[in-house]
Amino acid sequence: MANTAHQPLAERLRPKTLGEVIGQQHLLGPGMPLRIAFESGQPHSCILWGPPGTGKTTIARLMADAFDAQFLSISAVLGGVKDIREAVDRATSARDGLEQRRTIIFVDEVHRFNKSQQDAFLPHVESGLFTFIGATTENPSFEVNSALLSRAAVYVLQSLGEDDLKQIVARAQAIQAVPAIDAAAVDRLVAYADGDARRLLNTLETLAVAARAEKLDHITDEWLLRVLGERMRRYDKGGEQFYDTISALHKSVRGSDPDAALYWFVRMLDGGADPRYMARRLVRMASEDIGLADPRALRLALDAAEVYERLGTPEGELALAECVVYLAIAPKSNAVYKAYNAVRALVKTDSTRPVPMHLRNAPTKLMKELDYGKGYRYAHDEEGGFAAGERYLPDGLEGQVFYEPVERGLEIRIAEKLRELRRRNAEGNG
């Protein structure tokens, strides 16, 4: 049996069977898509898309084992056309040799290959010379050629949860790769790993070396902080300080202070916050705190999120920073946010009011005979495209106002328009 003592911990704990895989049960659980693929006896080309340390390489290797296939790995960061040609030659030899083995070619960080490099795989995927598996942390719809993407199923892997990561710590302890660890220290390690199994395993390995050097048989939270230093001290994702910091960012944007907003934004990135999480929060701020005072804010937030998906770290973070500054200086309104919440509260507690007859659709003769749609006024045929005095709320809610625009930004003009429409409604009802 090979001596594994000097292998990296990540390799020593790499699953040998599907049953040993931690996480990704939405793909690998009974009856799930990848489990079915494994059990079918017929491999197929696919793209594994997910954050770092979620098992993309492991799944590709297990697929090769399941189909007794030759496994060839290419790094798109370090490799090129020469590596692709060599892989094609080895796949041809395996197919035409005495054993006539299948080949699975695994391309890590496939989004790093340019169009011509990705195109080099196409004829061989189509001919069935090998099964292609690409791994990417970036959105394949942006980064993988459409021709290659159309020939491969896309499976989305998810960051590992806290329980998953704790299982990994337990497995490392089971093979005595690390000493006993306090529960508080395990929680801190799991928070620092942020869903990334590889980061967790590498950190555990660092701790094991340090513990052996100090002849420790027990790791405490205090010792963990001392050994790993600043990177553990910032804040824990999911912990109180994390939410305090995102709160400070949100309130700085709401308070129209671009300098403070940018400071808290960078603090969060420096502390290890996922930029994608930050992008989602910026979209929320654009909707909640700016709204129709400046509708461009929401579009800019979505554009910034898309730019980050295309460029990744660190280039894409600049687009998010630009969005932070724009949101901070944009005119503020929570009028839509308040109106939405008011309507939700009403609908939740109110009875199910019937739709007024004149607003109902009347696609059949019977419905027309029952006066569905009778008396409805087609706004486009009215003066100014507005049916003054027409009623659209259910009975009992006439005159109810939920949306009240503020006197800032575009909502100044929206408020003027609403006042005019309401005046015309009052005259039309008179």
Side-chain angles (χ1 to χ4, degrees):
M1 184 175 178
N3 185 354
T4 62
H6 299 294
Q7 283 186 324
L9 182 58
E11 197 59 38
R12 292 162 64 189
L13 287 182
R14 191 180 294 279
K16 304 296 189 297
T17 66
L18 275 186
E20 293 179 5
V21 175
I22 294 174
Q24 313 310 332
Q25 291 308 295
H26 66 294
L27 296 176
L28 298 173
M32 295 295 104
L34 263 178
R35 172 62 70 92
I36 292 172
F38 272 81
E39 295 171 348
S40 70
Q42 184 62 46
H44 63 269
S45 294
C46 60
I47 303 289
L48 303 176
W49 172 29
T54 50
K56 297 185 287 292
T57 303
T58 293
I59 290 172
R61 288 188 178 183
L62 288 176
M63 192 173 289
D65 293 341
F67 300 114
D68 190 28
Q70 173 182 226
F71 182 79
L72 304 178
S73 180
I74 300 174
S75 169
V77 176
L78 304 174
V81 174
K82 178 176 176 288
D83 300 270
I84 298 172
R85 289 199 190 105
E86 289 178 359
V88 169
D89 290 342
R90 291 178 64 182
T92 303
S93 298
R95 181 194 63 187
D96 299 339
L98 292 176
E99 296 183 9
Q100 296 186 336
R101 292 185 73 196
R102 292 168 167 153
T103 295
I104 286 179
I105 293 182
F106 174 69
V107 182
D108 196 18
E109 303 290 345
V110 64
H111 60 276
R112 300 279 189 177
F113 272 157
N114 60 34
K115 184 179 186 301
S116 63
Q117 289 169 321
Q118 292 183 28
D119 284 345
F121 292 104
L122 286 175
H124 309 296
V125 171
E126 289 181 338
S127 70
L129 174 62
F130 55 74
T131 299
F132 172 86
I133 301 180
T136 179
T137 55
E138 304 296 329
N139 190 328
S141 60
F142 296 143
E143 306 295 343
V144 178
N145 290 356
S146 57
L148 186 57
L149 198 59
S150 68
R151 292 162 176 79
V154 176
Y155 297 110
V156 181
L157 279 68
Q158 299 172 352
S159 296
L160 272 64
E162 290 184 12
D163 290 341
D164 297 329
L165 293 170
K166 287 179 179 179
Q167 282 188 58
I168 292 174
V169 175
R171 286 191 185 179
Q173 292 177 314
I175 64 170
Q176 299 182 327
V178 292
I181 307 176
D182 280 354
V186 171
D187 288 341
R188 190 178 297 278
L189 283 167
V190 166
Y192 171 70
D194 195 19
D196 185 334
R198 189 182 300 110
R199 179 190 281 190
L200 175 63
L201 289 166
N202 290 342
T203 306
L204 286 172
E205 200 154 32
T206 300
L207 289 176
V209 171
R212 280 197 299 270
E214 297 189 24
K215 296 183 171 55
L216 290 179
D217 59 4
H218 191 89
I219 292 174
T220 66
D221 192 38
E222 293 75 17
W223 184 83
L224 177 69
L225 278 172
R226 180 168 62 81
V227 171
L228 295 180
E230 190 65 21
R231 60 179 170 166
M232 287 296 225
R233 196 172 288 115
R234 299 297 178 122
Y235 54 73
D236 296 338
K237 186 177 187 301
E240 182 178 352
Q241 191 172 354
F242 177 89
Y243 288 108
D244 284 347
T245 312
I246 190 64
S247 175
L249 169 60
H250 197 149
K251 288 169 181 170
S252 298
V253 167
R254 182 181 294 149
S256 300
D257 188 332
D259 300 303
L262 200 55
Y263 170 80
W264 293 117
F265 171 72
V266 174
R267 270 280 300 272
M268 293 208 65
L269 291 181
D270 185 59
D274 183 353
R276 292 179 178 85
Y277 168 81
M278 304 298 295
R280 291 195 296 272
R281 290 302 298 246
L282 293 175
V283 172
R284 168 71 187 216
M285 293 174 205
S287 298
E288 178 179 339
D289 292 293
I290 296 167
L292 291 178
D294 186 353
R296 294 170 299 183
L298 182 56
R299 182 65 261 172
L300 192 140
L302 291 169
D303 286 344
E306 182 178 341
V307 168
Y308 181 81
E309 288 294 338
R310 285 178 177 267
L311 298 184
T313 297
E315 293 90 345
E317 291 168 2
L318 180 59
L320 297 178
E322 179 183 333
C323 179
V324 167
V325 172
Y326 187 92
L327 297 186
I329 62 177
K332 303 299 186 294
S333 171
N334 66 347
V336 173
Y337 177 65
K338 289 171 64 178
Y340 172 67
N341 285 335
V343 175
R344 283 186 65 191
L346 172 66
V347 169
K348 187 174 182 179
T349 58
D350 195 30
S351 60
T352 304
R353 298 173 186 265
V355 176
M357 293 297 288
H358 69 287
L359 296 182
R360 298 188 189 187
N361 195 27
T364 68
K365 181 180 178 182
L366 175 62
M367 289 177 172
K368 289 177 182 176
E369 291 174 350
L370 293 174
D371 289 340
Y372 278 40
K374 184 178 181 180
Y376 169 66
R377 295 162 59 192
Y378 188 58
H380 292 288
D381 292 340
E382 303 272 343
E383 182 183 352
F386 179 66
E390 182 67 294
R391 181 173 60 85
Y392 299 99
L393 281 168
D395 292 342
L397 292 180
E398 299 91 338
Q400 179 72 55
V401 174
F402 299 107
Y403 172 56
E404 298 186 54
V406 300
E407 295 295 326
R408 290 185 290 277
L410 182 63
E411 284 200 325
I412 294 174
R413 296 178 61 186
I414 293 174
E416 291 173 353
K417 177 68 178 289
L418 279 177
R419 282 194 289 271
E420 171 63 15
L421 295 179
R422 287 167 182 163
R423 182 190 64 78
R424 291 180 60 187
N425 269 334
E427 290 178 355
N429 286 326

